[in-house]
Amino acid sequence: MLWGASNPVQRKFSSDRSRARDARMADIGAERQTMAQAVTARLWNGRWLLAAGFVAVLAVYGFAGMSAYVVLAALALLLAAALLPSGSARHSAEDAAAIEASGLQRLSGEYLAAAVADPLIIFDRTATIVHANAAAFAAFGGIAPGMTLSLKFRAPEMQALLDGVLSGTVASDVVDYTEKLPVERAYRVSASSVGHATDLYVLVFKDQSEARRIDRMRADFIANASHELRTPLASISGFIETLRGPARGDPAARDQFLQIMQNQTGRMARLIDDLLSLSRLEMKPYLKPGTEVDLRQTIDSVIDSLGPLTRETGVVIERDFVEGPLDVPGDRDELFQVFENLLENACKYGQSGGRVTVSIARTETGPEAGIDVTIRDYGPGIPEEHIPRITERFYRVDVENSRTQKGTGLGLSIVKHILTRHNARLSIKSEVGKGAAFSVHLPAR
């Protein structure tokens, strides 16, 4: 398309640009006029000081024979003093209040509501919606001016909140409210009147969902940790009681019970070590590692350290590494812990497949260029419904099998936290009966 003077779009663009230029020039002229008025006012307020000073300078000049330069300098100082704001020129409290009122009058309630990040609804004495901001539309949907609030929010606590404010029993009130659809969200809702004699009221919804979720996670964590520690403690306590009683003179029973007690204390020690490790990681989630790590050498060391486990389970670890340097930014000890956890799980829970494959490949294209490390076993696999929750603390696909394999339920949680610190991610693919593949994507820089 050719853009010429005869084009109506071009003419409209030129007209808009001319109007914008004229508006800017008018603003500049107004600013200059305001500045001139301020200077004139200051000169007028200091007129007596300026006159008295001028007379004094003339008198001194006449009697003392000063030079013209000194007189000019004195006059310049007097003029500057006159321009300085005096006490009478400063805005009084009434002037400041008038300026504030003038500024607020230019603001509409709609603009103020739009500036609030939380859902906000303005309603009248009949509980009819007058206005709702964009956050309210996004959170609740299906609301519009003219709709009755009691029909939208039917929960008893919301009805009581509206009744209390509209009846004048309370000037403002706060309740907890849960929205079930489309997803469950928890809100702290406050209601209050707007201004004086406006017959308008406002509802503000403060989202508490994330805080509630963290509280539930903390409660679940304490309950699970207590349970995991109580079980071996109860077992050890029972065996000690047996050894002091019926099995006191039975060497065979004593050796068997002592072995079980040793296994249980080892389980508690592993659990405490994992808890401490997880706690340390959570205290520094944003501390990005700044050193280079050789993935080839790190994973070779992990495989060598798991030699006794592979001989015990009869699993063969196969390597499929790409050629060339495999360096990534990170902390070697933490990445060692990641791959040790993943490989140990693959050997324990996928031992029926007889082998585990560790592959390293580069992803050179796209904005997420880096290195992918995939650990694949050929065991029973993981049912699809368990995959989204498998990195949660103490979550187990098979509780009995996990305890038999001396698992604490915290390994994959530790893996997730370490990868988050490294700006990396973990993806899991599995099919029942065909094994599982855990892939770690590490950015190259």
Side-chain angles (χ1 to χ4, degrees), residues 208-419:
Q208 303 287 315
S209 305
E210 184 65 18
R212 299 282 181 86
R213 187 185 68 83
I214 293 173
D215 287 342
R216 285 196 297 267
M217 287 179 57
R218 185 182 296 110
D220 291 344
F221 174 75
I222 294 173
N224 289 327
S226 301
H227 173 74
E228 293 293 332
L229 288 171
R230 187 183 295 113
T231 301
L233 281 174
S235 176
I236 293 171
S237 177
F239 286 125
I240 291 175
E241 185 178 351
T242 304
L243 288 173
R244 296 181 65 183
R248 180 188 296 270
D250 189 342
R254 182 173 63 247
D255 291 341
Q256 179 186 1
F257 293 160
L258 288 174
Q259 181 62 49
I260 296 174
M261 292 167 63
Q262 184 178 4
N263 294 338
Q264 294 298 327
T265 55
R267 176 185 168 188
M268 282 194 297
R270 289 192 301 273
L271 178 60
I272 292 171
D273 288 342
D274 283 351
L275 286 172
L276 291 174
S277 178
L278 192 57
S279 177
R280 284 192 296 267
L281 289 170
E282 288 179 338
M283 289 176 63
K284 51 179 182 179
Y286 302 109
L287 179 61
K288 302 301 181 184
T291 58
E292 291 287 327
V293 178
D294 184 350
L295 280 182
R296 188 192 308 275
Q297 186 270 337
T298 301
I299 294 177
D300 282 338
S301 299
V302 171
I303 294 174
D304 292 341
S305 69
L306 293 178
L309 177 62
T310 58
R311 289 190 292 271
E312 179 184 343
T313 57
V315 173
V316 176
I317 298 178
E318 301 173 351
R319 295 174 172 88
D320 182 14
F321 297 173
V322 70
E323 296 296 330
L326 297 173
D327 296 334
V328 294
D331 183 287
R332 185 188 183 280
D333 292 338
E334 291 183 2
L335 290 180
F336 187 97
Q337 191 173 8
V338 165
F339 297 117
E340 183 181 43
N341 271 319
L342 294 177
L343 262 175
E344 188 175 356
N345 286 345
C347 292
K348 288 179 178 179
Y349 302 110
Q351 59 180 302
S352 59
R355 64 190 178 101
V356 171
T357 303
V358 182
S359 60
I360 305 178
R362 292 190 185 89
T363 54
E364 300 290 351
T365 59
E368 297 185 352
I371 296 176
D372 289 342
V373 181
T374 302
I375 298 173
R376 174 176 176 79
D377 67 71
Y378 300 87
I382 304 170
E384 185 177 358
E385 64 270 18
H386 293 287
I387 292 178
R389 299 190 59 191
I390 201 169
T391 58
E392 294 179 12
R393 302 172 185 175
F394 297 110
Y395 187 84
R396 295 181 173 94
V397 176
D398 186 340
V399 176
E400 292 303 322
N401 187 31
S402 175
R403 289 178 177 170
T404 301
Q405 300 294 346
K406 301 179 181 179
T408 63
L410 295 173
L412 290 179
S413 239
I414 294 172
V415 167
K416 182 183 70 174
H417 277 79
I418 293 176
L419 293 182

